[in-house]
Amino acid sequence: MRDPLRVTTLGEALVVMDPLSKGPLRHVGTFEKHLGGAEFNVAVGLSRLGHAVGWAGGLGDDEFGEEILAFARGERVDVSRAILDPDAPTGLYFKEWRALGQLRVHYYRAGSAASRMRFDGLDVEYLLSGEILHLTGITAALSDSCHGLISDLISAANERGVTVSFDLNVRHQLLKGRDPREVLGPLAARADLLFLSEDESGLLFGGGEPEHVRKARRDIRAATVVVHGAEGAFAVEEEGIFEMPAYSVSVVDTVGAGDAFVAGFLSGRLRGWSTGECLDLANACGACAVTVPGDLKGLPTEEEAFALRRGLGAQDAGR
Amino acid sequence: MRDPLRVTTLGEALVVMDPLSKGPLRHVGTFEKHLGGAEFNVAVGLSRLGHAVGWAGGLGDDEFGEEILAFARGERVDVSRAILDPDAPTGLYFKEWRALGQLRVHYYRAGSAASRMRFDGLDVEYLLSGEILHLTGITAALSDSCHGLISDLISAANERGVTVSFDLNVRHQLLKGRDPREVLGPLAARADLLFLSEDESGLLFGGGEPEHVRKARRDIRAATVVVHGAEGAFAVEEEGIFEMPAYSVSVVDTVGAGDAFVAGFLSGRLRGWSTGECLDLANACGACAVTVPGDLKGLPTEEEAFALRRGLGAQDAGR
Amino acid sequence: MRDPLRVTTLGEALVVMDPLSKGPLRHVGTFEKHLGGAEFNVAVGLSRLGHAVGWAGGLGDDEFGEEILAFARGERVDVSRAILDPDAPTGLYFKEWRALGQLRVHYYRAGSAASRMRFDGLDVEYLLSGEILHLTGITAALSDSCHGLISDLISAANERGVTVSFDLNVRHQLLKGRDPREVLGPLAARADLLFLSEDESGLLFGGGEPEHVRKARRDIRAATVVVHGAEGAFAVEEEGIFEMPAYSVSVVDTVGAGDAFVAGFLSGRLRGWSTGECLDLANACGACAVTVPGDLKGLPTEEEAFALRRGLGAQDAGR
Amino acid sequence: MRDPLRVTTLGEALVVMDPLSKGPLRHVGTFEKHLGGAEFNVAVGLSRLGHAVGWAGGLGDDEFGEEILAFARGERVDVSRAILDPDAPTGLYFKEWRALGQLRVHYYRAGSAASRMRFDGLDVEYLLSGEILHLTGITAALSDSCHGLISDLISAANERGVTVSFDLNVRHQLLKGRDPREVLGPLAARADLLFLSEDESGLLFGGGEPEHVRKARRDIRAATVVVHGAEGAFAVEEEGIFEMPAYSVSVVDTVGAGDAFVAGFLSGRLRGWSTGECLDLANACGACAVTVPGDLKGLPTEEEAFALRRGLGAQDAGR
Amino acid sequence: MRDPLRVTTLGEALVVMDPLSKGPLRHVGTFEKHLGGAEFNVAVGLSRLGHAVGWAGGLGDDEFGEEILAFARGERVDVSRAILDPDAPTGLYFKEWRALGQLRVHYYRAGSAASRMRFDGLDVEYLLSGEILHLTGITAALSDSCHGLISDLISAANERGVTVSFDLNVRHQLLKGRDPREVLGPLAARADLLFLSEDESGLLFGGGEPEHVRKARRDIRAATVVVHGAEGAFAVEEEGIFEMPAYSVSVVDTVGAGDAFVAGFLSGRLRGWSTGECLDLANACGACAVTVPGDLKGLPTEEEAFALRRGLGAQDAGR
Amino acid sequence: MRDPLRVTTLGEALVVMDPLSKGPLRHVGTFEKHLGGAEFNVAVGLSRLGHAVGWAGGLGDDEFGEEILAFARGERVDVSRAILDPDAPTGLYFKEWRALGQLRVHYYRAGSAASRMRFDGLDVEYLLSGEILHLTGITAALSDSCHGLISDLISAANERGVTVSFDLNVRHQLLKGRDPREVLGPLAARADLLFLSEDESGLLFGGGEPEHVRKARRDIRAATVVVHGAEGAFAVEEEGIFEMPAYSVSVVDTVGAGDAFVAGFLSGRLRGWSTGECLDLANACGACAVTVPGDLKGLPTEEEAFALRRGLGAQDAGR
């Protein structure tokens, strides 16, 4: 394992059941098993880009939990602080491709091992041992104990001076009617580095344009707010607004694209790059991710992400 | 079962063998089994849109016949008048995706249970018990006895005042060199509601433009003639010509699109909608159908068709 | 739908994820989706044997719930009293084939729609409208509300004079350490017709031999106690002990065998057969079920079960 | 192509749709495409054993017909006299594995290209150009014109002195209630070499024991009558009765075993072997065939068949 | 087999392992086996277009070698001069679809049977018996003995007056750092008909424009140099420069497109067509090939290639 | 990673292409990718049984090499000393299931990265840092440099007092006609712990009975010689002969059984168990391995192996 850890993250890693054919799930007979989970994706993404990263989270003490650990070790992500819960299963979700290409997800994560995590059960020292602690609004929406855990972790990190990276990641199916502004807003307000989709920016700040973010940023802690959309991304900082257009690629599966984007941005930060360069690497990682099916398969290596940035092309380059 | 029936239809339901890879069939090793058949598709489409519908037709007294019945019951289509023939198999066809994306079908429906249907064997009372009786030129092309059956059914419906909906559906492989104008023209001329593709309008009326149809309509019974193409659809009635552009979607499989269109239009009629609104729902249903592989899987529910009409979009709407 | 209903049952119908390869689940990449659930299996089994049967139970208001309803309608099981829960998913489980052919199941049914069923939400009139009400210990183990529901239903049936058929079906993963004798014993004691495996007989009555059951039967309500094992089955009644050897078949998948057995026995009862004949039909149904993979696929039709009883054989009988 | 031809055969080659899972076809979602047909199997079997062989028969002028021709050419079977019919499809059948391991087949060969063959359309010179002409009762059961064709061909071969090999191959689904003794008996009576299963011997000769055959042989032309069963095979000739026990192997799929047996026996004949040796090679070929799924895949090469006869064994012989 | 041979070719035919899912190979669990190899593709392409063609090359004396021979015989390619090597395996390669749609290939052809071919082992008379001998730079890059073999064959053909068709086909993975200009340039300079991609033209002639080729052609033997790119193709001859735009089709898999192009051009030559017509048929063949996955499946028949040239279209043309 | 290492091993890890259907490879269309390699299997087996183990060996610097490393890390095998060769591919082999259940393997390991390993490139300190160094005759048969490497490693271990465990593992396809007694005998003679199959014992010692081994052991270094066969295993030591019968299980795939056996025996040694107990654990591990397809999937955890030894059974134990 590379060390010392530079980023730690905590969240739910899940088994993903991917339908082998399009259309309503009732007509799908065969599924492929993959792995996913927002923070887990970010951890794998950072590791592929060459950084020492640790992931913690609750898993069932079952085959799926073991599989996630083995996969993570294979990807050189430190999972020494994963928590195996003998009384609850590993989280799970099904993807469904409806007519018109619309994605629906069906969660089996209520009562999962991760949803039962508590601040008391964490190795906080470990989680604060890197330069960046990456968290998301998904964990905060899993359960009350998880919400408390995220809140307490942010406080601890704020106190210790560890950079809190927070991806809002609103999931209405988990919020079950609760207002994301109330549930997640106060957490986002205490992050040092905040990631939002355009829609989420609209939700939180009243609009997805740089100007909306610039105004809103005054009221929150974040030194950097990053907003990403299909056309590109921008970051708002004290120093100004940085924009970077998206790479034009053929989209196959957008799940995991945001996580790839975050991994790319954080990687730039760890390299000490400028915010513009960070955005560009983030865009490149997001672009690689959407060209390949599955939440994790498209997360690029450093070599692949850099190749895209250099403007690689010919299909037979590897022949 | 919902009742009373509002639409009845009669035709051949088939097993569809769908190649799991593109290219000449000789190179395809694996096939998925699906179900289809023009009138059957319309029945399922209408049921998904919320209407009480009954399908009748000949099936082999075999596994495939039982499967079609079970599927239809699952879809809440009344199949109480299906005819199980112990001496002939359920119809079958293979799809083939040739170079350049061209679809070929290979029929195994000569001598099928449906091709042996006779007017004598039908429960005519049942078939005339709804508001609309939907028929197509496919059944009329299956065999002589089927042609007679369609002709006699139309007469009976005309007499009883049940609306005859007729989709020309020219299939050259079934016509085996016979002129569709001669074989199907006289049947189409006695329908109350006539559905044509642009090509079929050209064949029957000398052109696929509204003007061609307007002129030709004088010589036939149909109060409404609907012509659908890739760009949109129009209807010609006494009151005038109604046009509606197609929805722009990403096409995956066009088989069944016409049947989805018909189901949408008939659904509009049953709702008492204007012809323009009927065309729009028809377009929406056709659009949903082509975005999903398989003849039947993409037939939308009311919810899905309406969502498209409202202009739904974001890929992650269901997350 | 055939009517009037002769058997009603209530329980959890589930989606079953069946691994396409043997070995630890972490190494399995592809799964086939099937359906199952003890009471659901019994309902389908009875319908295939020709009886009018109704199944009730909680389902998620989701694709899987719809699929279960469509499948049941296709199988001619009345599901008019199924309860769609908008706030909880349809139950789910994974099968796993470990080394040495050992089956493990991984449940995702905590918090499922079925586990949230309450006696208040049921149409008790409907459930008591047949001759037999079939229940199992699985439902009673799902949750406290489900345990209460089963207890109350048995009381209502006892009062009304409807025969209560009860299959103990101990599931340690659902009991989570609770003693099945305490949780399920009092329910079993109030059934009219009790089904046990040999192991369960040992657990409840101190042994799996006819003599153990004969003694224990004095203290319970059941007029008939049926015990089934790999070698055969026996029934203990006031009139005596009836034994019937198992059919010798090649075992592929034992899941669902007990449910097929129960369906066969109940079918015999509905036909007014002697207890010995009931056992024989039960054995035949169980034998058919284990020769085919999947919980439901092997449930025989009357024709198939009778053929086995007549001693059918030659592999090419159907050529 | 090896030449000159030593065996010619004529019959229907078919596409076989093989279910990828066991159980009733209605529950099977995926099928593998294979090829088969009794005489075609014999031709391929003989070619693998090293003999020059020609197959003729009717095929649709379609993808499946082309595939059969390409496969045969690949197997070095001469197909120069195959007849492509532009107006009828290539024959097809589905396999189904019912409960208890029972095989059912579902034919789509009514009206197939092969069923439309007529004696007039054949190249009789070609068919009589080898030492042996192999025919079966299947072709004779396909249609009236096919029955006439077989009868006329046998007459021509009898006259010319070409050995007629005839495999009774009773197929009740094709006979549709006709008595095989009446339809096929007179043909079998004119063969020089007659192959029967034990059941068929019972049907034709009143029993499957050597003694039954010995008596019956007096009334027919055949110099050699071969009867094969699961336990072994025997041949009855003027010189006496020759018996040979079957090889003990693990049976996977018995379809095609009889054809492999016939190919082995004919191969022995072409090598000039004694009847006992012919039976042994026939048994070896049949044994190889049943250990592999599919009608054709298990047909052994000379090397494989001989290895079995030498008593090969260790599983890792090829490592 | 059609004869006499009009084209002969020599090269490596390989087994192709095609991943069933996109993304890095480490995440791919299932592969489909196909066949390929540049010269082999050309041979199959020419045969489908109706020409008598013979392919020679080294194959392992193993299952894959036998499969390649059977496939070729099925496609009516003469393989009587294929060389089965008992001491080396048939060549093999894996395809990999990386992020961004980039193709990588992984060769297992070092030490393959083909790489061990020597001029001494060839039937030179056979290879020079047609009008055209087609060779490629791939064979020349396989090994030293193969390079010598190609050089000697070209000399023999030049001497005998047999047209040498040479496709440069630079494969960096086989050249392992050697300069293609040095390794392949002298061979290309002795061809009569030279095929280049635009990139290869740049490499060899300093640019991919007609003008570059016109100048360079003075120093080489080739009467015709053909350069093909995504937009179209051009040929440079003494008489001038001929250009032909590509057909616009939906690209699925570009592997084998160049070989289809070559087959089309050579087919035009064999038909005695003008250079412009040859280019157009070549473009049509290349277009068909890229619309279907796999190296060989999309190679068109004459009927398909001509249909594209006539401007065929409607998706349901074959219904 | 657990530490300190107790066992180290060195060998070739390979990609295994497993046919998804039985029969000659030419008829197999789809393959599953797995991993294997004798020493790699032993390493994974030991890790699953709870021991700290390190594997070293040559891998291509390619996707397959990366996959093997990731898998091993996931299994907690230390691969820090694996050698990535940029100029040669990772080894590969195909399995083939011939008629009669016979396994053939097709190697693509000539010129592989592992075959190019040299003693000079190894970290000998690392390899001698555990209590046991496990080697096999496979590596010694790969190439001359590998043979030298094994010889030198044994010498170094003998000198240092590290126990050399050696599994003869004769592979005729790698020996290519060389006499295993000459190539492998001298290496086996210097091992401290020697594993042989019955056949190998016959080859090396003139017989597979304990008596043969007892006599032969006098001339070699090994304190313990273990011989395993289908019926059981025995060990010969100074103290006597220990025998232990095999567990009776249903065999699915024997590949990897020997490696599982070795892992079990070594695990017993590391636990300080008696030779009889070691044999029993070895038998249990071998039994688990053969009940699951694939080289590695059936390697048991400590829990599974111990359960078998306790005599576990009921199929539904995990429900």
Side-chain angles (χ1 to χ4, degrees), chain A residues 44-270:
Chain A
V44 171
L46 279 165
S47 185
R48 288 209 189 142
L49 292 166
H51 308 288
V53 55
W55 171 88
L59 296 171
D61 186 6
D62 51 28
E63 272 298 304
F64 293 152
E66 290 296 338
E67 179 178 6
I68 287 167
L69 292 179
F71 180 85
R73 284 194 298 261
E75 293 281 348
R76 312 186 78 163
V77 171
D78 183 50
V79 287
S80 58
R81 288 343 184 259
I83 306 153
L84 291 184
D85 184 332
D87 296 322
T90 301
L92 172 80
Y93 81 93
F94 286 79
K95 287 185 181 175
E96 180 185 26
W97 297 101
R98 304 292 301 192
L100 309 171
Q102 196 188 8
L103 173 70
R104 275 197 204 159
V105 300
H106 300 264
Y107 287 137
Y108 283 85
R109 57 204 296 189
S112 72
S115 75
R116 291 154 53 107
M117 291 190 291
R118 306 170 60 86
F119 187 72
D120 291 356
L122 301 181
D123 181 343
V124 178
E125 273 313 302
Y126 175 87
L127 289 167
L128 301 184
S129 69
E131 298 158 46
I132 301 175
L133 169 64
H134 178 68
L135 302 171
T136 84
I138 293 175
T139 311
L142 284 180
S143 66
D144 287 349
S145 70
C146 283
H147 191 275
L149 170 162
I150 293 292
S151 182
D152 291 355
L153 258 184
I154 294 176
S155 300
N158 285 171
E159 208 165 297
R160 184 78 69 90
V162 171
T163 298
V164 172
S165 161
F166 192 81
D167 188 348
L168 197 67
N169 264 338
V170 172
R171 293 290 179 270
H172 292 292
Q173 285 195 30
L174 297 175
L175 289 166
K176 290 174 182 282
R178 292 175 290 165
D179 186 333
R181 283 170 300 192
E182 286 175 26
V183 178
L184 306 180
L187 302 173
R190 290 189 282 140
D192 299 291
L193 176 50
L194 180 61
F195 292 95
L196 302 170
S197 71
E198 280 178 13
D199 285 352
E200 290 166 347
S201 175
L203 190 79
L204 219 57
F205 299 152
E209 297 301 314
E211 193 51 26
H212 297 106
V213 177
R214 201 183 54 75
K215 283 183 190 151
R217 201 183 62 87
R218 294 172 196 153
D219 304 327
I220 61 175
R221 175 187 174 101
T224 307
V225 178
V226 181
V227 177
H228 51 88
E231 306 301 311
F234 63 86
V236 181
E237 299 183 336
E238 192 58 38
E239 293 73 16
I241 291 168
F242 306 86
E243 297 198 60
M244 204 60 75
Y247 287 89
S248 171
V249 294
S250 171
V251 176
V252 172
D253 182 349
T254 62
V255 180
D259 306 323
F261 179 91
V262 168
F265 193 93
L266 296 182
S267 173
R269 274 288 168 99
L270 295 173

Side-chain angles (χ1 to χ4, degrees), chain D residues 111-178:
Chain D
S112 70
S115 74
R116 291 153 52 106
M117 291 190 291
R118 306 170 59 86
F119 186 72
D120 290 356
L122 300 182
D123 182 343
V124 178
E125 273 312 302
Y126 175 87
L127 288 168
L128 301 183
S129 68
E131 300 157 44
I132 301 175
L133 168 65
H134 178 68
L135 303 171
T136 84
I138 294 175
T139 310
L142 284 180
S143 67
D144 287 347
S145 70
C146 283
H147 190 277
L149 169 161
I150 292 293
S151 182
D152 291 354
L153 257 183
I154 293 177
S155 300
N158 287 170
E159 208 166 298
R160 183 79 69 91
V162 171
T163 299
V164 172
S165 161
F166 192 81
D167 189 348
L168 197 67
N169 265 336
V170 172
R171 293 290 181 270
H172 292 292
Q173 285 195 31
L174 297 175
L175 289 166
K176 290 174 184 282
R178 290 175 291 165

Side-chain angles (χ1 to χ4, degrees), chain A residues 32 34 48 71 75 249 287-289 291-293 296-298 301 303-304 307-308 312-319, chain E residues 21-24 26-28 30 97-105 107 170-173 199 251-256:
Chain A
E32 269 193 9
H34 296 292
R48 288 209 189 142
F71 180 85
E75 293 281 348
V249 294
C288 287
T291 62
V292 172
L296 281 162
K297 284 196 292 186
T301 58
E303 179 196 346
E304 286 177 314
L308 176 58
L312 131 157
Q315 209 201 33
D316 50 0
R319 231 192 291 182
Chain E
S21 50
K22 305 278 179 184
R26 77 187 77 174
H27 298 304
V28 175
T30 322
W97 297 101
R98 304 291 302 192
L100 309 171
Q102 197 188 6
L103 172 70
R104 275 197 205 159
V105 299
Y107 287 136
V170 171
R171 294 290 180 271
H172 292 292
Q173 286 194 31
D199 286 354
V251 177
V252 172
D253 182 350
T254 62
V255 180

Side-chain angles (χ1 to χ4, degrees), chain D:
Chain D
M1 211 56 62
R2 308 127 168 170
D3 54 17
L5 292 181
R6 302 196 64 191
V7 180
T8 59
T9 182
L10 172 126
E12 180 162 35
L14 306 101
V15 164
V16 186
M17 299 304 292
D18 231 324
L20 282 183
S21 49
K22 305 277 179 184
L25 276 198
R26 77 188 76 178
H27 298 303
V28 175
T30 324
F31 293 80
E32 270 193 10
K33 188 184 62 188
H34 296 293
L35 305 180
E39 303 86 356
F40 190 73
N41 297 343
V42 170
V44 172
L46 280 165
S47 185
R48 288 210 188 139
L49 292 166
H51 307 288
V53 55
W55 170 89
L59 297 170
D61 186 8
D62 50 28
E63 274 297 307
F64 293 152
E66 290 295 339
E67 179 178 7
I68 286 168
L69 292 180
F71 180 84
R73 283 194 298 261
E75 293 281 347
R76 313 185 78 162
V77 172
D78 183 49
V79 287
S80 57
R81 292 329 188 268
I83 306 154
L84 292 184
D85 184 333
D87 296 323
T90 301
L92 173 81
Y93 81 93
F94 285 79
K95 287 185 182 174
E96 179 185 26
W97 297 102
R98 303 292 301 192
L100 309 171
Q102 198 189 7
L103 172 70
R104 276 197 205 158
V105 299
H106 300 264
Y107 288 136
Y108 283 85
R109 55 203 301 187
S112 70
S115 74
R116 291 153 52 106
M117 291 190 291
R118 306 170 59 86
F119 186 72
D120 290 356
L122 300 182
D123 182 343
V124 178
E125 273 312 302
Y126 175 87
L127 288 168
L128 301 183
S129 68
E131 300 157 44
I132 301 175
L133 168 65
H134 178 68
L135 303 171
T136 84
I138 294 175
T139 310
L142 284 180
S143 67
D144 287 347
S145 70
C146 283
H147 190 277
L149 169 161
I150 292 293
S151 182
D152 291 354
L153 257 183
I154 293 177
S155 300
N158 287 170
E159 208 166 298
R160 183 79 69 91
V162 171
T163 299
V164 172
S165 161
F166 192 81
D167 189 348
L168 197 67
N169 265 336
V170 172
R171 293 290 181 270
H172 292 292
Q173 285 195 31
L174 297 175
L175 289 166
K176 290 174 184 282
R178 290 175 291 165
D179 187 332
R181 283 170 300 192
E182 287 174 26
V183 178
L184 305 179
L187 303 172
R190 290 190 282 142
D192 299 292
L193 176 50
L194 178 62
F195 293 96
L196 303 169
S197 70
E198 280 177 13
D199 286 353
E200 290 167 347
S201 175
L203 190 77
L204 220 56
F205 299 152
E209 297 302 314
E211 192 51 26
H212 297 104
V213 177
R214 201 181 56 76
K215 283 182 193 152
R217 202 182 63 86
R218 293 173 197 155
D219 306 326
I220 60 176
R221 175 188 175 99
T224 307
V225 178
V226 181
V227 177
H228 50 88
E231 307 301 313
F234 63 86
V236 180
E237 300 183 335
E238 190 60 37
E239 293 72 17
I241 292 168
F242 306 85
E243 296 198 59
M244 204 59 77
Y247 288 89
S248 170
V249 295
S250 170
V251 177
V252 172
D253 182 350
T254 61
V255 181
D259 306 323
F261 178 92
V262 169
F265 192 92
L266 296 183
S267 174
R269 275 287 167 101
L270 294 173
R271 293 164 198 267
W273 289 3
S274 72
T275 297
E277 284 177 308
C278 289
L279 284 173
D280 190 45
L281 181 55
N283 279 339
C285 290
C288 287
V290 299
T291 62
V292 171
D295 302 17
L296 282 161
K297 285 197 293 186
L299 289 169
T301 59
E302 184 178 288
E303 179 196 345
E304 285 177 316
F306 282 26
L308 176 58
R309 295 183 73 211
R310 278 195 316 273
L312 134 158
Q315 210 201 33
D316 49 1
R319 229 191 290 183

Side-chain angles (χ1 to χ4, degrees), chain F residues 193-257:
Chain F
L193 176 50
L194 179 61
F195 292 95
L196 302 169
S197 70
E198 281 177 14
D199 285 352
E200 291 167 346
S201 175
L203 190 78
L204 220 57
F205 299 153
E209 297 301 313
E211 192 52 26
H212 297 105
V213 177
R214 202 182 55 76
K215 282 184 192 149
R217 201 184 63 87
R218 294 173 196 150
D219 305 326
I220 61 176
R221 176 187 174 101
T224 307
V225 178
V226 181
V227 177
H228 50 88
E231 307 300 312
F234 64 85
V236 181
E237 299 184 333
E238 191 59 39
E239 293 72 17
I241 292 168
F242 306 86
E243 297 196 60
M244 204 58 76
Y247 288 89
S248 170
V249 295
S250 169
V251 177
V252 172
D253 181 351
T254 61
V255 181

